[in-house]
Amino acid sequence: MTNISCTPPVPQSHSPVRVPLRHFLRRFLRRASRRAAVLCSAAGLLLGGHGAAQAAEGQLRIAQQFGVVYLLLNVAQDQKLIEKHGKAAGVDIKVDFVKLSGGAVINDALLAGNIDIAGAGVAPLFTLWDRTRGRQNVKGVASLGNFPYYLVSNNPAVKTIADLTDKDRIALPAVGVSVQSRILQLASAQRWGEQAFNRLDRLQVALPHPDAAAAIIKGGTEITTHFASPPFQDQELAANPAAHIVLKSYDVLGGPASATVLYTTEKFRNESPKTYRALLDALDEAARLAATQPELAADIYLRTAGGNTDRQLLLQVLKNPEVQFQIRPQNTLGLGQFMHRVGALKHQPVALKDYFFDDPRIAGGN
């Protein structure tokens, strides 16, 4: 596994003095530049000297981000399910996992040929599907399940998004690109009208979830709000008495939704059909394990993802009735159509088949 962590040390100060955002971000950007150099080196190792454009059956490089929303990949990695299903199809598959942060970074890596499968929010998928139509033809492979995302604030004055002011900063993986950013735009459109969909963009700051969670838990920075994902949102609510939920993604999207997905290029799917099929088979098996054996799934996540997540808190996340492990996408089309209405997409998605590759296990999604 190639694990490029974007997590800086958790701040140790317990002082109530607020740290100016520019200082916090300056430190973060210095660390980010160092990590970028590491990423370039790691990407070269992944390519193994064969060139970014050269795809091959049996090679699989998967980029994922932070959080339990990537549990199906953690299970597949730990149990070597992709390799197992590859062998059943007569191919030895070498699997590499790269950990990145932010849909924009993931999309760039996919287009550069440095990864084969991108793991990110459904909004970055829509962005790349729209941009590559008629060229690389990027489409979705599978959902990683339905998870509620919470907008968490440690500012007692922020009860709804209407209470956010210029004194607040909203941390999320990527400004204007990540699924959290797009859901926040949809929430803004629902509250103030679609002409004001980007009203809160100016308050957004791009930070990996672990960094944002540290800011919410410790306090002392201008980052008062975090559009998170599990388990980070759950850690914030458990660790900081002032942390509270301002917004739930399911409320904005109208029900359970597949916020995190995998996607790839048409070239990879066509040139590596056995590897592609083994990935789907592995994800399907991983979803069944996560749904029926949450204790085992929790242990797998703790082994593979690292960090200091409390096991009991993690089990609460996995057993949450709002969390549904499945690879069939659910309730994704509406966000894509909203993005088209506000000009973020040139092409309007009409049905799932427009932006997901065909597969019997995907059919019937929306």
Side-chain angles (χ1 to χ4, degrees), residues 175-242:
V175 177
V177 178
S178 65
V179 66
Q180 287 90 347
S181 185
R182 293 300 186 187
I183 292 174
L184 194 54
Q185 289 180 345
L186 178 55
S188 299
Q190 292 170 350
R191 187 170 190 101
W192 296 297
E194 290 199 346
Q195 74 283 355
F197 78 96
N198 59 353
R199 177 168 172 165
L200 299 177
D201 284 13
R202 60 190 171 82
L203 304 181
Q204 297 177 18
V205 176
L207 283 178
H209 286 313
D211 302 305
I216 295 298
I217 292 171
K218 296 291 184 180
T221 79
E222 294 180 30
I223 295 173
T224 62
T225 310
H226 177 205
F227 210 154
S229 70
F232 304 106
Q233 59 199 23
D234 307 273
Q235 292 172 334
E236 294 163 0
L237 294 169
N240 187 342

Side-chain angles (χ1 to χ4, degrees), residues 122-360:
V122 69
L125 163 61
F126 277 121
T127 298
L128 211 54
W129 163 76
D130 185 61
R131 194 197 313 174
T132 63
R133 278 173 57 112
R135 297 190 295 277
Q136 296 97 329
N137 291 321
V138 170
K139 288 188 178 184
V141 175
S143 166
L144 291 177
N146 298 339
F147 292 85
Y149 286 8
Y150 300 156
L151 183 68
V152 176
S153 180
N154 61 13
N155 181 353
V158 177
K159 305 298 184 185
T160 73
I161 60 172
D163 299 321
L164 291 162
T165 71
D166 287 339
K167 296 181 180 179
D168 296 291
R169 290 296 180 269
I170 308 165
L172 36 71
V175 177
V177 178
S178 65
V179 66
Q180 287 90 347
S181 185
R182 293 300 186 187
I183 292 174
L184 194 54
Q185 289 180 345
L186 178 55
S188 299
Q190 292 170 350
R191 187 170 190 101
W192 296 297
E194 290 199 346
Q195 74 283 355
F197 78 96
N198 59 353
R199 177 168 172 165
L200 299 177
D201 284 13
R202 60 190 171 82
L203 304 181
Q204 297 177 18
V205 176
L207 283 178
H209 286 313
D211 302 305
I216 295 298
I217 292 171
K218 296 291 184 180
T221 79
E222 294 180 30
I223 295 173
T224 62
T225 310
H226 177 205
F227 210 154
S229 70
F232 304 106
Q233 59 199 23
D234 307 273
Q235 292 172 334
E236 294 163 0
L237 294 169
N240 187 342
H244 59 280
I245 299 173
V246 176
L247 186 78
K248 294 184 178 182
S249 62
Y250 283 7
D251 293 338
V252 179
L253 297 171
S258 305
T260 307
V261 296
L262 300 180
Y263 47 99
T264 190
T265 62
E266 185 178 54
K267 175 182 175 66
F268 176 78
R269 182 175 183 262
N270 290 343
E271 294 185 356
S272 303
K274 292 182 179 180
T275 304
Y276 183 93
R277 173 68 58 179
L279 172 63
L280 274 172
D281 291 340
L283 292 171
D284 201 24
E285 183 174 347
R288 292 194 301 271
L289 184 151
T292 59
Q293 302 181 68
E295 299 270 354
L296 175 57
D299 291 336
I300 289 173
Y301 177 80
L302 293 173
R303 276 200 302 269
T304 57
N308 58 352
T309 305
D310 179 78
R311 188 175 187 274
Q312 283 305 118
L313 183 143
L314 179 59
L315 281 172
Q316 290 176 19
V317 172
L318 300 185
K319 294 179 179 180
N320 182 348
E322 291 187 322
V323 172
Q324 300 159 353
F325 294 104
Q326 60 185 45
I327 65 171
R328 178 178 289 111
Q330 183 175 344
N331 200 12
T332 61
L333 180 60
L335 185 63
Q337 292 181 333
F338 162 74
M339 291 173 64
H340 175 260
R341 290 197 305 272
V342 298
L345 300 179
K346 293 181 180 179
H347 305 91
Q348 179 181 1
V350 177
L352 189 75
K353 64 180 182 180
D354 291 336
Y355 55 96
F356 264 83
F357 290 115
D358 290 333
D359 186 87

